[in-house]
Amino acid sequence: DTEVTQTPKHLVMGMTNKKSLKCEQHMGHRAMYWYKQKAKKPPELMFVYSYEKLSINESVPSRFSPECPNSSLLNLHLHALQPEDSALYLCASSQTGLARETQYFGPGTRLLVL
Amino acid sequence: GQQVMQIPQYQHVQEGEDFTTYCNSSTTLSNIQWYKQRPGGHPVFLIQLVKSGEVKKQKRLTFQFGEAKKNSSLHITATQTTDVGTYFCAGLPSYGKLTFGQGTILTVHP
């Protein structure tokens, strides 16, 4: 099984809402990633968890809060977002978190902030 | 900082024509990866190149890694409508993080 799943597929939220994005993989990978992708742009790395510990935070605003409950699950908690945060949020996983590893991407959550 | 430049930004071809996208890095890379993202989809890993001068083929796709390990190309022979999408390279320097190129958006006209 080389699938990474993400829920929800689409999300519309107001600037005062609190919501969460979820990601799951069953490939036995020990590293999971959050990316943000704007239209016609490459994915931008936000966070990396390796062995359930946050290893990289790319200076992401605190209104985005990641959580890794176990090695198969990754959440992204959203609070007080801005309209410019509207984007496709991609989760990915890889074996251990080394940069040279293949990353397997989920289908993404399309987020619209009103 | 490390940069990976990818050209062209857009490419429109007639079905059956060839297509090439190029990536250039400001620093020597330990490897380069290529991803394809279909419209409305997510990036899907295609291949990784590690060795200087390496050439790999996947059916109609040919991937090359330059001798200096600073550039790479993806060539598609006889494009089909199923090749439509955005092709990203992602370069990994010896020290640093994986950096995506800006992507090439390929349109194939039947």
Side-chain angles (χ1 to χ4, degrees), chain B residues 9-52:
Chain B
Q9 189 176 356
Y10 299 93
Q11 185 76 61
H12 303 268
V13 299
Q14 287 294 129
E15 192 171 18
E17 290 181 338
D18 292 356
F19 158 76
T20 306
T21 173
Y22 301 90
C23 274
N24 285 289
S25 170
S26 55
T27 58
T28 302
L29 302 171
S30 63
N31 74 49
I32 193 157
Q33 302 173 18
W34 285 92
Y35 293 81
K36 176 184 178 181
Q37 185 169 15
R38 292 180 187 275
H42 59 278
V44 174
F45 174 79
L46 294 176
I47 208 155
Q48 177 174 267
L49 304 171
V50 178
K51 298 177 186 173
S52 168

Side-chain angles (χ1 to χ4, degrees), chain A residues 19-79:
Chain A
K19 296 286 184 184
S20 296
L21 309 185
K22 296 186 182 302
C23 176
E24 190 168 6
Q25 57 88 14
H26 292 291
M27 293 180 275
H29 289 172
R30 302 310 300 271
M32 296 185 78
Y33 307 73
W34 280 116
Y35 285 86
K36 174 183 176 180
Q37 187 178 29
K38 294 283 225 180
K40 299 186 179 179
K41 295 292 185 185
E44 293 175 41
L45 184 64
M46 299 173 73
F47 302 104
V48 181
Y49 273 84
S50 181
Y51 292 88
E52 296 150 55
K53 288 191 175 7
L54 184 65
S55 59
I56 295 177
N57 176 343
E58 290 287 339
S59 303
V60 180
S62 60
R63 58 186 185 268
F64 295 91
S65 175
E67 179 197 16
C68 189
N70 60 57
S71 59
S72 300
L73 293 172
L74 185 66
N75 299 321
L76 186 63
H77 303 297
L78 315 173
H79 174 53

Side-chain angles (χ1 to χ4, degrees), chain B residues 55-106:
Chain B
V55 178
K56 287 189 176 180
K57 293 192 176 188
Q58 289 180 350
K59 296 183 181 178
R60 294 177 296 103
L61 277 60
T62 301
F63 303 84
Q64 291 190 320
F65 202 9
E67 294 290 341
K69 299 184 74 174
K70 284 185 155 185
N71 57 71
S72 181
S73 65
L74 158 58
H75 179 82
I76 302 179
T77 305
T79 54
Q80 301 175 357
T81 54
T82 52
D83 295 325
V84 162
T86 303
Y87 292 85
F88 292 103
C89 62
L92 178 65
S94 302
Y95 296 97
K97 63 177 185 179
L98 193 67
T99 301
F100 281 83
Q102 290 300 301
T104 296
I105 301 172
L106 173 64

